[in-house]
Amino acid sequence: LCMDEFDGLAFYNGGAVAGASEAHKHMQLIPLPMAQSGPRIPMETLLDGSGFGDRFCAVSGLPFSQLFARVDSRDHNRAERAYHLYRDMLDAAGLNEAGADGGARQLGPYNLLWTREWMLLVPRRAEFFQTISVNAIGFAGALLVKSDEEAHALKRHGPMAVLTHTAMPRR
């Protein structure tokens, strides 16, 4: 419903290792574009041409484990289709288990990024690269630092090395 009202990036930090700062589950939504100039989402340029139809794939330009899918923004049933696609992505990543009550149980930390056009799921192995905490927004291309030392470390190692260190390795 929110994305019907305005263009945005929804994100979910599934667990403390994935950057969750609250004990309860919630998604967040930020308006797009993320910056006044450049692409509306910095990482989006690497996603072009990937994940067509009702299936998902790994993006070849990303050196860490992830699953990517296109979402048809014109589909009137897109919310239901996106939900089922998301559940299938969790299953494929080995992050979903059926609970005794018929619900699902999360088996590991992950980040989910979702726009009107696509979804990206990134299984996680670490919250930090050195002292830099990475949450879902990092996988959109926005790495936040708290000090000059962290900024220098980010420049020295590069954003992709930071993301690769915190995500699960590619299979």
Side-chain angles (χ1 to χ4, degrees):
L1 293 174
C2 293
M3 286 190 205
D4 284 343
E5 294 295 318
F6 67 94
D7 194 17
L9 170 67
F11 64 96
Y12 173 66
N13 300 314
V17 170
S21 59
E22 300 292 329
H24 63 274
K25 291 183 178 184
H26 65 282
M27 288 192 84
Q28 299 174 70
L29 180 66
I30 59 173
L32 294 175
M34 290 176 70
Q36 302 232 345
S37 63
R40 63 187 203 130
I41 301 171
M43 191 69 83
E44 202 165 42
T45 57
L46 294 174
L47 307 179
D48 291 341
S50 299
F52 295 98
D54 287 339
R55 297 300 309 152
F56 44 85
C57 66
V59 177
S60 61
L62 297 176
F64 47 82
S65 182
Q66 37 63 37
L67 294 171
F68 175 79
R70 293 273 175 206
V71 177
D72 185 352
S73 62
R74 300 161 297 171
D75 182 353
H76 294 294
N77 295 320
R78 72 180 169 274
E80 183 178 343
R81 287 186 202 278
Y83 173 74
H84 290 294
L85 185 57
Y86 160 67
R87 301 304 313 178
D88 290 346
M89 290 168 79
L90 286 173
D91 287 341
L95 294 169
N96 200 28
E97 177 179 75
D101 61 356
R105 190 170 71 96
Q106 181 177 325
L107 293 178
Y110 68 93
N111 294 116
L112 176 69
L113 295 97
W114 180 13
T115 71
R116 289 175 175 172
E117 294 84 26
W118 53 263
M119 293 189 327
L120 178 68
L121 184 128
V122 181
R124 295 290 300 275
R125 67 176 166 174
E127 177 184 358
F128 291 94
F129 175 84
Q130 297 179 0
T131 60
I132 301 169
S133 177
V134 177
N135 68 11
I137 294 299
F139 292 95
L143 291 162
L144 308 174
V145 296
K146 296 179 182 177
S147 68
D148 288 341
E149 291 79 21
E150 288 184 353
H152 292 306
L154 178 58
K155 287 178 186 174
R156 184 172 55 255
H157 295 282
M160 200 58 75
V162 171
L163 297 177
T164 300
H165 175 83
T166 61
M168 293 297 284
R170 256 191 120 122
R171 296 184 228 171

